[in-house]
Amino acid sequence: MLKELDLHITNRCTSSCLYCCFESNRLKLNEFSYSQICKILKEANGLGCTDVHITGGEPLIREDILDIVAFANSLDFHIRMQTNGSLLSKKMAIALYDAGLKSIMISLDSFNQETHEKMRGQGTFLSTLLAIRIALEAKLNVRINSVLTKVNKSEIFDTIEFVRKLGIKNYSAFYFSPIGSGRSISNEWIPPEEYLQFWNGLQKLIKNSYNLHDMNIIIEKGYANWVEAKKIDVSNFTGCGGGCLNTYNNKDYIIIRCDGNMYPCIMALEHSPLGNINLNSLSNIYANSEIWETLTLTGASECGICQNKIICGEGCRYYPHLINKSSEHDDRCIVNRVVPLCPIMKYNSLNNSLGGSSDDVMVENEENKYDK
């Protein structure tokens, strides 16, 4: 049953982040009308969906954003919005809260202004800090997120401490994958063994820091060694972070881009969509799309001779085309050393838990009690 919908309502943006998977401000896409968005939300609600995440582009760039939030709220969705904060005025923050938005994710790639602006553009750092303050004053539940690349990985721990000093207890870091605009900076992608070493070192720093003991710190895991991977059970994971087979079996998450294309995972954006809701209904695509079948086992020759493929489920179906376009094999795999987990699998250091979505691992606190 469908649980979570990521609704991409515009590809217009006030920033041009180097790694944007949607190629916002570069790839021009048609947008849904307000009435089309209402129809989408009604259909999703009818399929059992409970969580709507409003994304872009920059969602606040739409003049009807308050109406969109209010309509989603009228259907009793748990609503979260992802924003760079550049358009979040005090008036808008209060209006969003009154319309029914309680949770907001704001992007901050580093405590270091130079590093943050290298990735997101000149002048974005101070506007982000202002947006965070405005959101907190408006009583919105704030989560900060970063994108992990070679550029900022050495500053992530200090960024987490910086976020905590701002009074925020919820933080996420996403493992950069070279899709969309990110293809132009693929050299900033962190390779498997380097990422695994970084991830393990970061977890030690977090666990040894008393200042962070009450903070949800959700870092995408990416990889495991072969011994550890055998202990990971994704059967109860929600979302698409449990891997392609889990996504195929559960079908509890979809993303709908503003041009109507519907996908089973953010990693699928450069592949054939499940369908387009401008041409077919959401419910019909959800129930009948043949593209779901591409998430099943690939039968890649490299995996056929591997006795441990049950651990990784033959890896990510989409990553082979990011690293080696001629391969059907997830080349992140390093036999007997590194298992390629779903690149968006979540881990929360606060409760030592793994999940397929942030909601799987989030520990409730005053800042996220509406975010579950």
Side-chain angles (χ1 to χ4, degrees), residues 247-309:
T247 300
Y248 172 77
N249 290 328
N250 294 339
K251 297 183 178 68
D252 60 357
Y253 167 92
I254 55 172
I255 181 168
I256 300 178
R257 200 169 66 176
C258 67
D259 62 347
N261 279 354
M262 178 170 146
Y263 300 93
C265 174
I266 193 71
M267 302 302 300
L269 287 177
E270 296 183 352
H271 295 259
S272 297
L274 294 168
N276 187 292
I277 62 171
N278 293 318
L279 304 175
N280 208 334
S281 70
L282 189 162
S283 54
N284 191 31
I285 295 170
Y286 175 79
N288 300 311
S289 175
E290 294 179 357
I291 299 299
W292 285 115
E293 300 300 321
T294 63
L295 298 176
T296 58
L297 294 176
T298 66
S301 58
E302 296 92 337
C303 300
I305 61 173
C306 179
Q307 296 179 349
N308 296 305
K309 67 179 180 181

Side-chain angles (χ1 to χ4, degrees), residues 9 20 39 57-58 88 139 154 159 167 182-184 219-220 241 279 281 284 299 340 349 369:
I9 62 172
C20 180
K39 181 180 179 182
E58 173 48 56
L88 189 67
K139 308 302 181 184
S154 65
T159 298
R183 285 192 175 278
S184 66
I219 313 292
E220 290 183 339
L279 304 175
S281 70
N284 191 31
S349 58
K369 62 182 179 180

Side-chain angles (χ1 to χ4, degrees), residues 147-160:
V147 177
L148 279 167
T149 68
K150 287 183 179 178
V151 174
N152 66 345
K153 72 182 180 70
S154 65
E155 298 176 355
I156 287 298
F157 179 73
D158 290 332
T159 298
I160 296 170

